[in-house]
Amino acid sequence: MDKITIPDLNGTNYFIWELKMKAALSLKRLDFLVLEEKPEDLTRKDEMDWITKNSDAIAYIKLSLADEQALQFAAEDNAKVLWDKIRATYIGEGEDRKIDAGNELKNIRMKNGETVAD
């Protein structure tokens, strides 16, 4: 297992990207950085270690973004915040579409002279 391939996040493949990115971060022992906040009471050595691992996680995540998404999230320097922003961007859009589709379905009405097949 020499090569790990993560598809670039391109706006249409969030769920598969998330699954594979979590697995890749887990293999690198960096997954905790996207799940937990930075601990408050770190020693200087532990803080330096956290900073290095956070930078690595950010690099892995940003390198797996398509150009448009990379620019959108370029300024973020905390792995958890970056992960949460990406998640909110794509989960939020999907939920909005579900709500819109549900509302549209509720508002469907047959017109006079229209058959069910129409």
Side-chain angles (χ1 to χ4, degrees), residues 3 10 12 19 21 34 40 43 62 74 79 83 91-93 100:
K3 185 176 178 184
N10 60 24
T12 61
L19 175 77
M21 180 53 68
V34 299
E40 294 288 326
T43 64
K62 286 183 178 179
W83 188 265
I91 297 293
E93 286 179 7
D100 290 344

Side-chain angles (χ1 to χ4, degrees), residues 38-99:
K38 179 182 176 184
E40 294 288 326
D41 54 349
L42 294 175
T43 64
R44 179 75 177 138
K45 180 183 179 300
D46 288 341
E47 184 170 7
M48 295 307 294
D49 186 50
W50 185 92
I51 290 169
T52 300
K53 288 179 178 180
N54 181 66
S55 294
D56 289 349
I58 288 170
Y60 282 117
I61 294 168
K62 286 183 178 179
L63 287 170
S64 73
L65 302 177
D67 293 346
E68 182 180 312
Q69 283 71 27
L71 291 173
Q72 181 179 357
F73 301 108
E76 194 50 60
D77 63 355
N78 179 295
K80 177 162 180 25
V81 174
L82 173 60
W83 188 265
D84 291 345
K85 283 183 178 180
I86 293 170
R87 183 170 177 75
T89 298
Y90 294 102
I91 297 293
E93 286 179 7
E95 291 303 314
D96 289 347
R97 280 183 280 203
K98 286 180 191 175
I99 291 168

